[in-house]
Amino acid sequence: MKKSALITGILGQDGPYLAKFLLEKGYKVYGLVRRYSNPNFDNLDYLGITGQVEYVEGDLTDESSLYNVIKNLRSEEIYNLAAQSFVGHSWEMAKLTTEVNALGVLYLLNSIKTFAPTTRFYQASTSEMFGLGHTNGYQDEGTPFHPRSPYGISKLYAYWMTVNFRESYNLFTSNGILFNHESPIRSLQFVTRKITDGVARIKAGLTKKLALGNLEARRDWGFAGDYVEGIYLMLQQEKPDDYVLGTGENHSVKEFVEAAFAAAGIAKWQDYIVIDPRFKRPAEVPSLKANPKKAKDKLGWEPKASFKELVKMMIEADLKRYGVS
Ligand code: NAP
Ligand code: F7E
């Protein structure tokens, strides 16, 4: 019998990479999609797997829809990747962010406890929960949390609920605390893809400027395709636990800009960048840098793509989209 997995957030960035990974392992993959008149399958199309996933309808803000899906499927594994994941919007949409990212996880956990207690559950936790917290400039599983956005706070609730269901009901529930991971199918609102898309548009002669916010923020950027293996491995362990996934090095937004312009063969990036205060945040997370030692030691996981390779991969994909090279 094939193992089956349900992935929420199947239409986002990580959903398609994880689905592809699980399909290659022989899984039957179900993808939760919201009721849309016109769902967007572009990211699954990009990876060539749209027809290989079976889609089920449900919404993280609707508890009964999740009950039904979980009761009907009783899949061996559930990967909860669905979220209002854009930090920048979370101040204006704090209630929605909380309903999806925090309460949605409570609904999923309650459904698993009631209808599928042997199902293994993965929660997409985030380095945004650390916010200002660090241990000598790094963050690991023991670093204190100090979230700086409604997004980070909503994810912290979900993180602790995931821990609490493990401790209270003996369920197999694990958190992956993932640092920023990017790819050619990253949504355009996130800074990396906004930059690589913007640089490609400049190269194609479609625009002359790229407006950004805080260039000094530092992030630990890896490749999403590498991270889904770590996510999978967390659910294959003997016992549930929480793990940090990241590269262990960070770069500023400015360094990403420099690398992206250089990869596209454009000199003097300063001529094209304008600073627009609209893209700055009410409270910033200045620096995130993972210590992924536990994942390496216990899961045997390590990221493969370097920062330079990631930028190159994203720039090449965007240049191709605009028909330039
Ligand atoms: P993403 O591209 O924003 O995808 C999120 C998905 O969630 C979207 O497909 C969206 O569906 C779905 N969704 C939103 N609200 C929903 C609702 N009410 N019910 C059902 N589905 C809903 O995010 P990602 O980059 O793939 O990240 C995956 C997960 O990891 C997220 O939980 C994110 O917060 C977390 N995370 C990401 C990173 C990162 O760097 N990428 C790092 C740490 C943690 P639609 O397509 O219908 O809008
Ligand atoms: O911002 C700065 C911005 O929106 C990165 C999500 O996947 O990773 C992601 O959250 C940095 C911030 O990602 C612009 O202020 C400057 O310091 O790409 P981002 P994020 O906020 O780090 C975490 C781990 C998640 O969990 C989230 O779901 O870049 N920045 N100028 C800008 N950011 C954006 N978006 N746009 C700008 O113009």
Side-chain angles (χ1 to χ4, degrees), residues 9-15 32 34 36 58-61 80-85 100 124-127 151 155 178-182 186 190:
I10 189 76
L11 304 181
Q13 171 188 252
D14 293 1
L32 188 88
R34 299 194 259 180
Y36 266 121
D59 194 303
L60 252 68
T61 60
N80 179 37
L81 309 183
Q84 189 306 91
S85 77
V100 178
S125 287
T126 165
S127 52
Y151 169 81
K155 285 283 189 175
L178 270 53
F179 284 62
N180 300 52
H181 46 280
E182 319 291 317
R186 182 64 143 152
F190 299 100

